């Protein structure tokens, strides 16, 4: 048990009474510049020694999570056979012994896609009419139609997508990435999370989905608010100017150094650096979120009204974060849980996310940043090819055996479709891509060999991709 030192209590008591405007979430996650094995590098925060250990093909990741599970059958995976069988009993040979969320034990009937599909781009990518802006970027995206995961309910499925396991408390992928290779900024967190809402039954997203697990807490994601100040207490308290805040941070640093000389705790050095970082955030975050320098045509392209909490505004802020060196940016749009009202809510969710997604990709491309940015789009799972509700309120249940996601940027082969589900859109049957394969591919593009990237925890060498086999999907990489 660590030895108790009175100075620690005095210092904390002092801090609790100062009213200093430094967000605790930011402080806990902004310790990376003083990591024990990493060293500060010019213009950013270094990762672990020896990393990256592969050629680095992208510098950053923007993960666009359509939380709730978008239907692959209304977006990217048209199944003519399923349309032919619409309303007929679903063959038991497909579902026998298979996990089903809310349809278990009920009569299963085929539900053909309610969307029309057209071919787009040079290679004829099949994209639903719900996504007209995706159709415009058909030649930039690689649609993977053979994704599989292992968890059939929302929270554990998000946990699996984000951490590679259903066990809570493990590091999220953004934390792994920042731990491994650091980031290009010491003015902002290396891992930022934002969320928006719109659609049916928006599922809550727990903050542990971007936690650091057994990695140092400085690598956890920092949630930026979509409205108001993006980080709590980022502005100085009333009556405190920047000069006074600077003096306060200096005084706290002196107390910390005195405590360090007494306690000999190396974590105190990181605390000193954290206050310095938080002070710099007070300068950088207001500039980051001040959209007055964005021309009107850019705001119009995104459909953004900064500060309105929308997915569009979050996409624009994601581009600004990427420009400033943030390594991992995770956007959630909550509202894709379409057990009912499928047509209505596909309209709503697509309307809120389709154009901003196109704008983000296009904006990055025009700025020369898409070549070193990996964009990933998808949910925690897909939806069943069986109808969950009646004709007046058509919906689909959760589905994990075959669904669609897409990737773009860097060396990803745009204009291609990879993998396939069966004739009814139930099982992934060709070039199956597991979530662990997605993680392995992402790490590979960032310059990390997933098989040689581990942290010792409870006597085990823990990895994002776990101990089960995982492969880099090289066929989608140019």
């Amino acid at each position: 048990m660590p030895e108790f030192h009175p100075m620690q209590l005095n210092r904390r008591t002092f801090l609790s009474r100062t009213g200093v405007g430094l967000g605790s979430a930011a402080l806990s996650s902004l310790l990376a510049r003083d990591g024990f094995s990493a060293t500060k590098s010019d213009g950013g925060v270094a990762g672990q020694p020896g990393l990256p250990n592969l050629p680095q093909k992208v510098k950053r990741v923007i993960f666009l999570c359509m939380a709730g599970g978008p239907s692959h059958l209304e977006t990217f995976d048209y199944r003519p056979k399923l349309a032919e069988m619409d309303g007929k009993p679903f063959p038991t040979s497909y579902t026998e012994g298979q996990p089903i969320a809310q349809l278990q034990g009920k009569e299963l009937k085929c539900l053909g896609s309610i969307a029309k599909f057209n071919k787009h781009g040079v290679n004829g990518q099949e994209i639903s009419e719900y996504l007209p802006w995706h159709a415009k970027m058909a030649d930039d995206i690689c649609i993977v139609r053979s994704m599989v995961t292992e968890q059939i309910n929302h929270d554990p499925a998000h946990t699996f997508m984000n951490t590679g396991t259903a066990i809570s408390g493990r590091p999220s992928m953004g934390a792994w990435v920042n731990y491994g290779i650091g980031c290009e900024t010491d003015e902002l967190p290396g891992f930022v999370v934002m969320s928006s809402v719109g659609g049916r039954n928006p599922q809550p997203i727990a903050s542990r989905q971007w936690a650091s697990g057994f990695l140092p807490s400085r690598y956890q994601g920092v949630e930026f608010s979509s409205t108001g100040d993006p980080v709590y207490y980022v502005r100085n308290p009333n009556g405190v100017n920047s000069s006074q805040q600077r003096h306060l941070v200096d005084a706290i640093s002196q107390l910390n150094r005195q405590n360090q000389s007494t306690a000999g705790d190396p974590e105190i050095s990181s605390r000193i650096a954290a206050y310095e970082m938080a002070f710099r955030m007070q300068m950088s975050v207001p500039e980051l979120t001040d959209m007055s320098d964005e021309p009107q045509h850019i705001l119009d392209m995104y459909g953004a009204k900064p500060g309105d909490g929308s997915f569009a505004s979050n996409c624009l802020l994601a581009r600004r974060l990427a420009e400033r060196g943030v390594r991992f940016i995770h956007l959630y749009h909550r509202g894709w849980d379409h057990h009912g009202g499928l047509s209505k809510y596909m309209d709503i969710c697509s309307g809120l996310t389709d154009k901003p997604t196109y704008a983000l990709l296009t904006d990055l491309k025009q700025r020369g940043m898409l070549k070193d940015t990996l964009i990933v789009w998808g949910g925690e799972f897909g939806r069943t090819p069986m109808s969950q509700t009646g004709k007046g309120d058509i919906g689909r249940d959760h589905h994990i055996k075959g669904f669609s996601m897409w990737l773009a940027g860097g060396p990803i082969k745009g204009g291609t479709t990879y993998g396939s589900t069966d004739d009814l859109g139930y099982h992934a049957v060709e070039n199956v891509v597991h979530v662990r394969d997605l993680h392995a591919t992402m790490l590979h593009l960032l310059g990390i060999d997933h098989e040689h990237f581990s942290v010792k925890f409870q006597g085990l060498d823990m990895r994002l991709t776990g101990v089960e086999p995982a492969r880099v999907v090289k066929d989608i990489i140019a």
Side-chain angles (χ1 to χ4, degrees), residues 141-161:
I141 64 177
C142 173
I143 300 169
V144 179
R145 298 199 301 190
S146 52
M147 291 295 306
V148 297
T149 186
E150 296 183 6
Q151 297 297 316
I152 202 164
N153 289 309
H154 295 288
D155 187 76
H158 279 297
T159 303
F160 196 87
M161 181 65 70

Side-chain angles (χ1 to χ4, degrees), residues 113-187:
S113 178
I114 65 170
K116 294 181 179 179
F117 281 73
N118 294 303
K119 295 182 184 294
H120 299 278
V122 174
N123 295 322
Q125 296 262 66
E126 288 189 318
I127 298 175
S128 157
E129 289 187 352
Y130 278 115
L131 301 172
W133 292 93
H134 272 70
K136 296 175 183 293
M137 56 183 185
D139 288 332
D140 293 307
I141 64 177
C142 173
I143 300 169
V144 179
R145 298 199 301 190
S146 52
M147 291 295 306
V148 297
T149 186
E150 296 183 6
Q151 297 297 316
I152 202 164
N153 289 309
H154 295 288
D155 187 76
H158 279 297
T159 303
F160 196 87
M161 181 65 70
N162 292 335
T163 71
T165 175
I167 301 172
S168 296
R170 297 290 174 83
S172 58
M173 51 186 166
W176 274 110
V177 168
N178 274 277
Y179 172 79
I181 58 175
C183 65
E184 296 181 311
T185 178
D186 57 5
E187 306 291 329

Side-chain angles (χ1 to χ4, degrees), residues 180-307:
I181 58 175
C183 65
E184 296 181 311
T185 178
D186 57 5
E187 306 291 329
L188 292 165
F191 177 15
V192 172
V193 180
M194 292 178 283
S195 66
S196 54
V197 177
R200 182 190 178 278
N201 191 28
Q203 297 288 332
I205 306 292
S207 61
R208 58 184 172 76
Q209 297 295 349
W210 48 86
S212 57
F214 49 73
L215 299 177
S217 62
R218 56 188 176 268
Y219 297 110
Q220 72 184 19
V222 174
E223 185 177 12
F224 276 23
S225 174
S226 299
T227 57
D229 285 340
V231 179
Y232 292 133
Y233 310 119
V234 73
R235 300 181 190 277
N236 289 333
N238 292 334
V240 177
N241 59 34
S242 295
S243 177
Q244 292 170 317
Q245 189 80 324
R246 175 74 266 176
H247 287 310
L248 179 58
V249 172
D250 289 343
I252 294 170
S253 295
Q254 290 176 8
L255 288 172
N256 273 318
R257 291 189 179 94
Q258 181 180 347
N259 190 32
Q260 184 182 34
S261 67
T262 303
D265 182 359
E267 182 69 14
I268 297 173
S269 296
S270 291
R271 289 182 179 274
I272 294 170
Y275 282 104
E276 293 289 341
M277 167 60 114
F279 180 76
R280 289 194 299 275
M281 278 189 67
Q282 290 186 303
M283 305 296 107
S284 63
V285 168
E287 183 275 333
L288 165 73
T289 57
D290 180 3
M291 301 291 184
S292 61
D293 60 343
E294 294 289 347
Q296 188 62 44
H297 76 272
I298 292 293
L299 297 176
D300 292 342
M301 181 170 71
Y302 282 88
K305 296 179 180 179

Side-chain angles (χ1 to χ4, degrees), residues 23-44:
S24 60
L27 291 177
S28 67
S29 63
L30 298 175
L31 302 173
R33 63 183 270 144
D34 260 24
F36 300 148
S37 59
T39 58
K40 173 70 169 59
S41 61
D42 291 338

